[in-house]
Amino acid sequence: MADAAQNHIVGEHPDLLPPKTEVGVWGWMYHNLFSSPLNNFLTFFGLFLIWVTIPPMIDWLFIDADWVGETRDDCGREGACWIYIGVWFKQLMYGRYPDEDLWRINSMYIIGAIGLIWLVWPNLKYKGWIGVFMLFLFPVACYFMFSGGSFGLERIETPLWGGLFLTLVIAVVGIVASLPIGIVLALGRQSKNMPVIRAICVGFIELWRGVPLITVLFMASVMFPLFLPEGMNFDKLIRALVGVMLFSAAYMAEVVRGGLQAIPKGQYEAADSLGLSYWKSMALIVLPQALKIVIPGIVNTFIGLFKDTTLVLIIGLFDFLGMAQAVATNPDWLGFAVEGYVFVAFGFWVFCFGMSRYSQYLEEKLHTGHKR
Amino acid sequence: MAEQSIESSGQDLPAEGLVIGEEEVIKIVDMHKWYGQFHVLKNINLTVHKGERIVICGPSGSGKSTLIRCINRLEEHQRGQIMVEGTELTGDLKHIELIRREVGMVFQHFNLFPHLTVMENLALAPIWVKKMPRRDAEEVAMTYLKRVKIPEQAKKFPGQLSGGQQQRVAIARSLCMNPKIMLFDEPTSALDPEMIKEVLDVMIELAKTGMTMLVVTHEMGFAKTVANRVIFMDEGEIIEENEPEEFFNNAQHDRTKLFLSQILAH
Ligand SMILES: Nc1ncnc2c1ncn2[C@@H]1O[C@H](COP(=O)(O)OP(=O)(O)O)[C@@H](O)[C@H]1O
Ligand SMILES: [Mg+2]
């Protein structure tokens, strides 16, 4: 051994390769899968679980599934019947919105998608303007396009709205409105020298957080009209929207408050000593940092809200899930509820997973190397 | 520690930096402050003339920070008067805003804005408080970054800088508002020893420009060379104030002597 070492000039010893158990596939497997008896057991048990669940699932979802056809007789009943989804696709996506007016929804989808991608895509120009457009003009345009009644568009009552379209309307309105309202509520709750405003904010937040969303929706649809004068009637969807909005704003307020509390006092003092007013120091110094800290919490609330929209079912609105449930009771297509639910679950998953990934990307991007 | 800093700032100030005007820029009369029941500042009387460089020292908890924080209303006083640049500090937001424009402050922990680059940290207040066009604000920012000798760090985030560099950025950030008075609250006590000098050097340069400075520090070397007055505080009171020479060699009060012996002991 010692001799071998002497064969080289000092400093020129050709480095030995690391042992096999340290590198490559084998190294990784050795360390992560088979490092101890318990680990061996867990690895094999995990493989066993995968083996008993995944292949049958793939069989049902893809291999034995029926993809082409028109009626239920085309479904062999071995695997999933995706024909069912195909036949009811329009209802699942748009509810009972008239066929000849679907372009109104689709065109707004396209504009919305382009706007969103523009905002999300790194390093594109005019993000500010697009953001303003998406936040202010786009919702207004959506309102006129979807409900019609002006600009020569036929009026389409909200009871005809449904499916994924309705889910998106409720979720997006809730998401877009809850953040600013939540921020204002959180700031109000934090303001020490305005006791009245503070009390109002605390009261509001605690009231809405203390009741289940389902109760809020019930109140909005059943009890609220009782307080209105005779003959005056708000659209049911609008009532539900307001309920969802205020409910999620209360949650958002608490998430944002967590972020505000994490900002060191020195940041407020530095802003004050530079002469920034309250609103400027909030907008420029405190909120950008606070919101960044709570991105995971904000997105979590968004995702929760997105899924909670399914509760509108109980006040007679047919969202994505509600529509799947409704078409499952069609006498011609009994027995395919599972396919409907799987499809809806997949739809929800795509949106929620997308939000989750984007939040991770944002966190990474906004990290400026300051950890204090 | 003390010795090293004497060395570090051992350059003499040129005569023109020592000009002290007649104009009273800060006047504090019979000022008291309480935190609840706790009487933190007692009967403070202090007049600062234009161009003066005052070092405030004293044991921890004696109220030094509270005193200088009262001057730009980060803390509120309950009795007496504080006049800054002829404006009295009251609850009036207009007055507070006016005074904060004239008074810059540097903190122990820098308090830079971590989500903004160095350049954005500097340009922020000129743009949003002084309504300066962004171009001009960035030009001003660059001037001061050069003055604190780190123009090459403009695009970095504070978290990527050393403590000494961060504190110099913080000084530059205050200077960008073109203040008439600068307050320093232990600007070097959160720094590693090898970075203290670079910050003190910047402060010495600033003193040479004739800036009115109130500095809370335990850097006695800085006090000896830069200050024209040293104030000793204990338990919320100004115990003694004198020219540095007299203060260090001929302290009047026992408490001052005790403090000096402790701080100069090692
Ligand atoms: N927000 C506060 N509430 C109550 N007491 C405080 C507060 N801030 C400081 N104090 C107390 O006031 C005294 C003076 O504090 P400070 O001015 O920070 O002292 P120094 O800067 O001289 O070390 C200390 O006893 C401290 O505990
Ligand atoms: Mg202090």
Side-chain angles (χ1 to χ4, degrees):
Chain A
M1 274 295 275
D3 284 333
Q6 294 307 314
N7 290 336
H8 304 279
I9 303 163
V10 177
E12 290 211 345
H13 191 300
D15 288 337
L16 289 171
L17 290 172
K20 266 227 158 60
T21 53
E22 290 300 314
V23 288
V25 177
W26 294 114
W28 183 87
M29 279 176 49
Y30 179 78
H31 279 287
N32 293 292
L33 299 178
F34 302 107
S35 58
S36 68
L38 176 64
N39 204 343
N40 291 346
F41 168 73
L42 289 176
T43 300
F44 285 116
F45 185 65
L47 286 174
F48 172 73
L49 280 186
I50 291 173
W51 184 68
V52 296
T53 54
I54 302 293
M57 212 152 94
I58 292 184
D59 279 348
W60 186 83
L61 281 172
F62 303 109
I63 298 172
D64 293 341
D66 296 295
W67 296 89
V68 280
E70 300 283 303
T71 63
R72 65 170 298 160
D73 298 331
D74 296 320
C75 283
R77 312 284 289 138
E78 290 263 320
C81 176
W82 298 127
I83 298 165
Y84 167 77
I85 300 296
V87 168
W88 295 106
F89 190 73
K90 191 241 140 184
Q91 277 74 10
L92 290 171
M93 289 293 118
Y94 306 101
R96 296 190 289 136
Y97 210 85
D99 283 346
E100 65 275 14
D101 288 306
L102 289 185
W103 65 269
R104 284 156 60 171
I105 296 177
N106 290 335
S107 54
M108 291 324 269
Y109 274 173
I110 291 170
I111 296 174
I114 292 174
L116 256 190
I117 291 172
W118 196 294
L119 288 178
V120 166
W121 203 269
N123 306 327
L124 283 184
K125 275 191 185 169
Y126 310 118
K127 276 193 200 252
W129 291 112
I130 302 279
V132 169
F133 167 78
M134 288 296 285
L135 264 183
F136 299 103
L137 279 177
F138 183 70
V140 175
C142 280
Y143 172 77
F144 284 111
M145 282 291 265
F146 295 161
S147 59
S150 49
F151 301 111
L153 293 172
E154 198 176 328
R155 177 145 196 93
I156 296 168
E157 301 294 338
T158 54
L160 297 180
W161 301 19
L164 181 63
F165 165 61
L166 184 66
T167 294
L168 287 176
V169 167
I170 299 171
V172 170
V173 169
I175 285 172
V176 170
S178 69
L179 190 56
I181 302 177
I183 289 173
V184 171
L185 285 172
L187 290 177
R189 189 172 190 163
Q190 287 291 92
S191 67
K192 298 199 176 53
N193 32 18
M194 292 181 286
V196 177
I197 293 192
R198 185 193 166 114
I200 292 172
C201 291
V202 172
F204 182 93
I205 293 169
E206 296 304 337
L207 175 72
W208 288 91
R209 282 209 318 157
V211 288
L213 178 57
I214 211 160
T215 319
V216 173
L217 291 172
F218 253 130
M219 299 268 279
S221 85
V222 182
M223 289 189 58
F224 184 64
L226 299 180
F227 301 125
L228 286 178
E230 197 79 27
M232 194 170 159
N233 194 18
F234 270 117
D235 191 291
K236 194 200 274 180
L237 176 60
I238 293 190
R239 280 183 267 142
L241 279 179
V242 171
V244 166
M245 218 156 78
L246 297 181
F247 183 83
S248 43
Y251 273 87
M252 198 54 78
E254 287 301 281
V255 173
V256 173
R257 186 165 71 105
L260 291 177
Q261 281 173 338
I263 304 302
K265 216 167 120 240
Q267 294 289 306
Y268 294 85
E269 293 177 350
D272 281 349
S273 73
L274 287 169
L276 291 166
S277 67
Y278 173 80
W279 288 110
K280 280 178 192 164
S281 67
M282 287 300 140
L284 298 168
I285 309 298
V286 177
L287 281 175
Q289 295 183 62
L291 293 180
K292 186 175 100 181
I293 296 172
V294 294
I295 287 173
I298 292 176
V299 175
N300 208 22
T301 310
F302 283 171
I303 289 175
L305 167 63
F306 192 85
K307 294 189 290 191
D308 279 351
T309 56
T310 51
L311 290 174
V312 297
L313 177 69
I314 64 130
I315 58 167
L317 294 174
F318 289 94
D319 75 320
F320 197 20
L321 180 64
M323 219 58 212
Q325 211 145 321
V327 295
T329 58
N330 184 297
D332 289 342
W333 286 90
L334 286 177
F336 295 108
V338 175
E339 279 85 342
Y341 289 135
V342 168
F343 180 68
V344 169
F346 178 72
F348 272 100
W349 180 82
V350 166
F351 281 99
C352 295
F353 184 68
M355 286 194 261
S356 161
R357 296 305 303 196
Y358 183 63
S359 92
Q360 283 171 23
Y361 160 80
L362 254 193
E363 271 176 73
E364 198 109 312
K365 194 180 107 166
L366 295 177
H367 182 64
T368 56
H370 195 104
K371 292 205 167 152
R372 195 157 76 83
Chain B
M1 185 80 169
E3 237 171 300
Q4 179 233 340
S5 17
I6 290 171
E7 257 179 297
S8 73
S9 52
Q11 38 212 159
D12 279 317
L13 287 172
E16 72 264 17
L18 292 169
V19 176
I20 292 167
E22 282 296 301
E23 193 187 329
E24 293 176 351
V25 287
I26 301 175
K27 194 171 170 69
I28 302 177
V29 184
D30 286 339
M31 192 265 277
H32 293 256
K33 173 168 180 60
W34 287 263
Y35 282 124
Q37 293 286 312
F38 178 53
H39 200 170
V40 56
L41 292 177
K42 303 165 191 163
N43 195 26
I44 302 290
N45 285 285
L46 177 66
T47 302
V48 181
H49 295 93
K50 190 168 167 46
E52 273 202 286
R53 297 161 305 278
I54 295 180
V55 162
I56 302 170
C57 60
S60 174
S62 57
K64 309 178 295 292
S65 301
T66 310
L67 171 59
I68 66 166
R69 288 157 59 87
C70 279
I71 294 173
N72 67 351
R73 195 67 172 197
L74 288 183
E75 302 288 351
E76 197 177 327
H77 61 282
Q78 279 87 32
R79 256 178 70 183
Q81 257 195 334
I82 302 179
M83 304 275 292
V84 181
E85 290 277 330
T87 310
E88 183 174 358
L89 263 178
T90 58
D92 191 337
L93 287 177
K94 281 253 158 51
H95 287 193
I96 295 173
E97 195 181 315
L98 212 66
I99 285 170
R100 282 182 180 162
R101 276 170 178 240
E102 304 293 346
V103 180
M105 183 151 193
V106 175
F107 301 87
Q108 182 175 358
H109 294 290
F110 333 132
N111 298 354
L112 293 174
F113 306 130
H115 62 302
L116 302 176
T117 63
V118 167
M119 176 53 84
E120 289 164 342
N121 264 276
L122 267 64
L124 182 102
I127 292 173
W128 291 95
V129 180
K130 287 196 160 175
K131 311 269 186 287
M132 220 186 250
R134 177 172 297 270
R135 221 12 116 59
D136 301 355
E138 289 185 348
E139 214 165 281
V140 171
M142 209 50 187
T143 316
Y144 284 107
L145 269 188
K146 281 183 187 142
R147 187 162 325 159
V148 299
K149 304 183 188 71
I150 33 176
E152 72 281 0
Q153 311 285 5
K155 291 209 169 61
K156 287 199 186 159
F157 286 97
Q160 299 165 323
L161 304 183
S162 74
Q165 290 172 325
Q166 290 192 48
Q167 192 60 297
R168 284 187 279 155
V169 172
I171 294 173
R173 179 178 68 179
S174 286
L175 293 177
C176 281
M177 285 298 282
N178 199 13
K180 298 214 174 69
I181 301 162
M182 286 284 287
L183 309 173
F184 294 82
D185 191 0
E186 305 206 26
T188 56
S189 50
L191 296 176
D192 292 335
E194 75 271 17
M195 296 173 184
I196 292 177
K197 184 181 181 312
E198 64 189 53
V199 172
L200 289 181
D201 284 347
V202 165
M203 290 168 64
I204 292 167
E205 289 296 320
L206 186 61
K208 286 183 194 168
T209 66
M211 176 67 75
T212 310
M213 294 163 69
L214 271 78
V215 186
V216 175
T217 184
H218 292 151
E219 294 294 329
M220 289 305 137
F222 177 83
K224 282 178 187 166
T225 49
V226 179
N228 65 295
R229 225 181 337 153
V230 182
I231 289 177
F232 174 71
M233 284 185 72
D234 195 14
E235 294 182 356
E237 289 176 286
I238 295 181
I239 302 291
E240 184 162 352
E241 64 175 285
N242 221 325
E243 288 170 8
E245 184 90 359
E246 279 291 293
F247 182 86
F248 288 110
N249 299 332
N250 196 9
Q252 301 297 308
H253 282 77
D254 291 340
R255 281 196 261 180
T256 319
K257 285 177 196 159
L258 179 65
F259 175 76
L260 285 176
S261 71
Q262 281 165 350
I263 203 156
L264 297 172
H266 45 105

